[in-house]
Amino acid sequence: TGNYYVSQTVNSCQSLRTAVAVTINTTTAPTASAQTFNNSATVANLVATGTLLQWYSVATGGTALSSTTALVTGNYYVSQTVNSCESGRTSVAVTINLAPTAPTASSQTFCALATVANLVATGTSLQWYSVATGGTVLASSTALVTGNYYVSQTVNLIESPRTAVAVSINTTAAPTASSQAFCTSATVANLVAAGTSLQWYLVATGGTVLASTTALVTGNYYVSQTVNSCQSLRTAVAV
């Protein structure tokens, strides 16, 4: 910035000089800090403070990056333009968090009434689905059925691909029994039903198993059987 002076020469004769005032506009580089993104981020996600920002993959030269250019871990460089003057470039360290690997899980077998909360896999922030891609996360209270389930994990806010998990539900049929009549002093040990590992109750659901020495009274009793560690629903028996 300052005055410059110009002459011209005609027929080998140089003229006097004309004063020319010159102003140099200097544009400062924009400000920006290190940034971290997930694996699908693009140049459009980069942030800096300045006007008419342009991003580059090199400190000098090169061409401005398109806003749709996928980001990778490394340094990017940003300039701003003010009064048609482009500034020097500011270096910005960028870290891209890649998607985590899918969690590990093996085939699983449950009794009836098992829910998504019973499923097991090794990973962080697990989410279970009924489909390999898309769909919605299953609520932990969702009842399981025999078939395939799919589990992902989430690390640094990035969800992984899904692992398929084969699930088998063992359903044990309720035992069979008919109405029964006894003399006084009969106990639970006298009750009869066709099944395996029978358990007798005073209620259709919940409650506690009756001891075999429990004295019987007139009314309904309820019996379940257990096969392959799976307890059945209960059969009502009028006594």
Side-chain angles (χ1 to χ4, degrees), residues 168-192:
S168 297
I169 302 298
N170 289 330
T171 302
T172 301
T176 58
S178 56
S179 300
Q180 299 168 48
F182 301 97
C183 299
T184 54
S185 75
T187 66
V188 167
N190 298 113
L191 291 169
V192 177

Side-chain angles (χ1 to χ4, degrees), residues 59-123:
T60 60
T63 54
L65 298 172
S66 164
S67 62
T68 58
T69 302
L71 297 178
V72 297
T73 295
N75 287 328
Y76 287 81
Y77 304 88
V78 59
S79 70
Q80 68 170 329
T81 298
V82 179
N83 295 324
S84 300
C85 293
E86 186 175 7
S87 70
R89 300 173 190 174
T90 299
S91 177
V92 181
V94 171
T95 301
I96 301 299
N97 290 326
L98 300 178
T101 58
T104 58
S106 56
S107 299
Q108 298 170 48
T109 301
F110 300 97
C111 300
L113 305 182
T115 66
V116 166
N118 299 113
L119 292 169
V120 177
T122 301

